[in-house]
Amino acid sequence: MSGEPQRRFVSSRGAAAQLGFGAALQQGLASDGGLYVPQTWPRLTPAEFADTQTLPEVAARLIGAFIGDDPLAAQLPALAREVFNFPAPLVPLREDGRLSVLQLFHGPTAAFKDFGARFLAACFARLRAGESRPLTILVATSGDTGGAVAAAFHRRPGFRVVVLFPRGLVSPTQERQLTCWGDNVRSLAVRGRFDDCQRLVKEAFLEPQLRSELSLSSANSINLGRLLPQAAYYAATSLAVWRKHGEPASFIIPSGNLGNALACLWARTAGLPIGAVVLAHNANRTVPDFLETGEWRPRASVATLASAMDVGDPSNMERLRALYPQLEGLRAAVSAVSVSDQDIRARISAGYRDYGQIWCPHTAVAVEAWERLPQQARATHRWVLVSTAHPAKFAQIVEPQIGAAVPVPPALAELFSRPVHHDEIDPGLEALRPLLREG
Ligand SMILES: *Cc1c(COP(=O)(O)O)cnc(C)c1O
């Protein structure tokens, strides 16, 4: 694509080399510890998407604008068709078209993490074509990420996945999704907490001998290869609303590490017709507190019903600050709310009663955020509630609230029927090392 400009990604901390997309994706974290952000922004308009209809077409156009003349650019249309092979439907909740739900849970593991994990895997497969040494993807997970990454790399030649999760601290459904793969996926229950799993991954990366013996990579949520594909569904949704109503779409996004929200803000910055963006947090209120007080006080996470959002020190905050360095600018760009477990429960019940909808606890946080908007804002925007997971993944929480069984979608039923296996390890590198060396 010789007509495309060169586009580079720079570290949010400003002290690492700028890289093209493929290199930044393989690198993960920048060498100065920062996160990769675009050096310059695409300037798109809805007109430039006039000939795109499907999600893969919109994705290829949007991501193409972000990556410019990167070697992967020529493969984007095929890559997007491979990755975005399930729908992201926008379901209206009210007849006036001012409230809809964007369902992001129709992928193989029934949560939006499938979009990013599948795109990352598809990029890696192309970037590493012809490499003889297999790449080991190490992933620490507290819930949905590990399953999505395992699904995306399962049976892909040239890759193996080692998933580390805290023993007994993920939901039974999540544990099934982490341990049902086999083949090139190995699941390890760590006798510790999520922080121990994350520390183990970092230690493995820092050990020179392991690094020289193995090709290691991570797949955590700060990777550009997970963030950019998430911008695609915001682009496709906002274009659909724009075409139908001639108005921008405003999004309410259940948020933890802020990856999903950042993808939306990047799409808006690139010129997509996106209006307001609301960050809907659970009782982990680091971000809402920051917007209110201007003081950044990261803290330990507290456990909530919306567990995939239990984050007290969101890693993508660095990208948010890079986008809006001044507090006033940030306050103009986004708003944030915090929702208690009690309100999550009440919202799940009310959703079933009032709309006949079954919401997962994360989605319920977004719905509650909408309910708290001023009447004026609700009446003048076209709101899209982002639904991040299928309620069947959280049946133990949801079913008592609605007094009914949650139907299990076919993809999840298939996963639930597979045999499970995992090994248990102590939270130290001595325990992990031999398992990593095994083929
Ligand atoms: C990961 C996750 C979130 C939070 O997304 P972030 O990108 O970390 O803000 C919300 N809901 C579900 C179901 C998730 O799996």
Side-chain angles (χ1 to χ4, degrees):
M1 295 188 125
S2 52
E4 294 296 330
Q6 202 187 40
R7 292 219 180 259
R8 292 289 174 266
F9 293 86
V10 296
S11 167
S12 54
R13 298 189 187 171
Q18 57 191 55
L19 295 178
F21 176 69
L25 182 148
Q26 285 185 284
Q27 176 96 28
L29 199 67
S31 59
D32 61 357
L35 312 188
Y36 286 108
V37 298
Q39 182 175 40
T40 56
W41 290 91
R43 296 268 170 243
L44 298 164
T45 62
E48 272 149 288
F49 290 86
D51 60 337
T52 63
Q53 293 301 328
T54 64
L55 180 58
E57 286 166 0
V58 172
R61 179 70 46 86
L62 177 76
I63 298 169
F66 272 94
I67 77 175
D69 65 353
D70 189 83
L72 275 174
Q75 308 191 45
L76 269 181
L79 217 152
R81 280 193 301 274
E82 175 190 326
V83 171
F84 299 95
N85 68 346
F86 52 90
L90 185 63
V91 179
L93 274 193
R94 294 194 341 182
E95 283 186 356
D96 63 6
R98 296 212 168 265
L99 183 62
S100 314
V101 173
L102 175 62
Q103 296 184 342
L104 299 180
F105 51 68
H106 295 286
T109 67
F112 82 90
K113 303 275 194 316
D114 283 323
F115 288 96
R118 287 171 62 78
F119 188 80
L120 186 75
C123 288
F124 261 129
R126 285 163 175 81
L127 288 165
R128 293 187 56 85
E131 294 268 352
S132 54
R133 228 164 44 153
L135 184 70
T136 301
I137 309 276
L138 255 183
V139 52
T141 186
S142 58
D144 289 326
T145 292
V149 170
F153 284 95
H154 184 224
R155 294 194 179 148
R156 263 188 198 272
F159 294 92
R160 58 188 198 118
V161 176
V162 178
V163 178
L164 299 142
F165 64 95
R167 184 187 67 159
L169 296 181
V170 299
S171 80
T173 305
Q174 285 171 329
E175 179 160 329
R176 287 204 77 85
Q177 286 196 340
L178 296 172
T179 57
C180 71
W181 303 100
D183 302 309
N184 62 335
V185 177
R186 182 133 195 196
S187 311
L188 302 176
V190 176
R191 298 184 191 105
R193 303 178 57 85
F194 172 61
D195 297 340
D196 296 303
C197 301
Q198 259 188 326
R199 176 180 45 79
L200 264 178
V201 170
K202 278 196 192 127
E203 284 175 10
F205 273 95
L206 290 173
E207 204 193 67
Q209 215 190 333
L210 265 183
R211 292 226 67 169
S212 68
E213 283 172 41
L214 298 170
S215 298
L216 276 183
S217 190
S218 78
N220 52 24
S221 68
I222 52 93
N223 195 300
L224 262 188
R226 284 186 50 186
L227 201 71
L228 268 190
Q230 294 174 177
Y233 46 73
Y234 291 109
T237 304
S238 67
L239 287 167
V241 171
W242 184 260
R243 282 169 189 161
K244 191 158 177 201
H245 302 287
E247 290 174 37
S250 293
F251 291 92
I252 305 185
I253 307 172
S255 290
N257 255 324
L258 296 173
N260 206 5
L262 246 292
C264 181
L265 295 169
W266 281 16
R268 187 173 75 180
T269 306
L272 272 302
I274 294 171
V277 174
V278 179
L279 313 177
H281 290 266
N282 58 26
N284 291 278
R285 29 180 322 129
T286 309
V287 175
D289 283 353
F290 173 62
L291 281 177
E292 200 178 309
T293 65
E295 267 177 71
W296 179 241
R297 290 199 304 113
R299 55 203 86 156
S301 62
V302 298
T304 76
L305 295 175
S307 54
M309 296 160 29
D310 290 348
V311 180
D313 187 4
S315 47
N316 275 300
M317 194 63 199
E318 247 184 90
R319 284 192 170 114
L320 192 62
R321 302 295 294 276
L323 198 53
Y324 308 106
Q326 307 297 331
L327 185 62
E328 285 317 308
L330 180 62
R331 282 177 174 154
V334 299
S335 58
V337 297
S338 165
V339 172
S340 69
D341 274 1
Q342 195 186 345
D343 288 342
I344 291 175
R345 284 203 188 86
R347 202 42 67 197
I348 293 173
S349 307
Y352 193 59
R353 191 186 62 223
D354 300 344
Y355 297 106
Q357 298 276 324
I358 306 178
W359 286 315
C360 89
H362 311 82
T363 306
V365 172
V367 184
E368 172 67 16
W370 178 83
E371 295 280 348
R372 289 188 197 171
L373 288 172
Q375 171 58 27
Q376 167 77 2
R378 286 197 303 215
T380 52
H381 289 58
R382 300 210 172 259
W383 291 101
V384 176
L385 308 175
V386 176
S387 182
T388 48
H390 193 284
K393 291 187 85 166
F394 304 91
Q396 301 90 333
I397 297 168
V398 173
E399 289 180 345
Q401 297 310 316
I402 63 171
V406 182
V408 178
L412 273 187
E414 201 271 320
L415 288 192
F416 291 169
S417 71
R418 302 168 75 110
V420 294
H421 177 79
H422 71 264
D423 296 301
E424 242 182 73
I425 64 165
D426 281 328
L429 198 54
E430 319 75 60
L432 179 62
R433 194 184 291 113
L435 296 173
L436 287 180
R437 286 195 173 128
E438 280 170 23

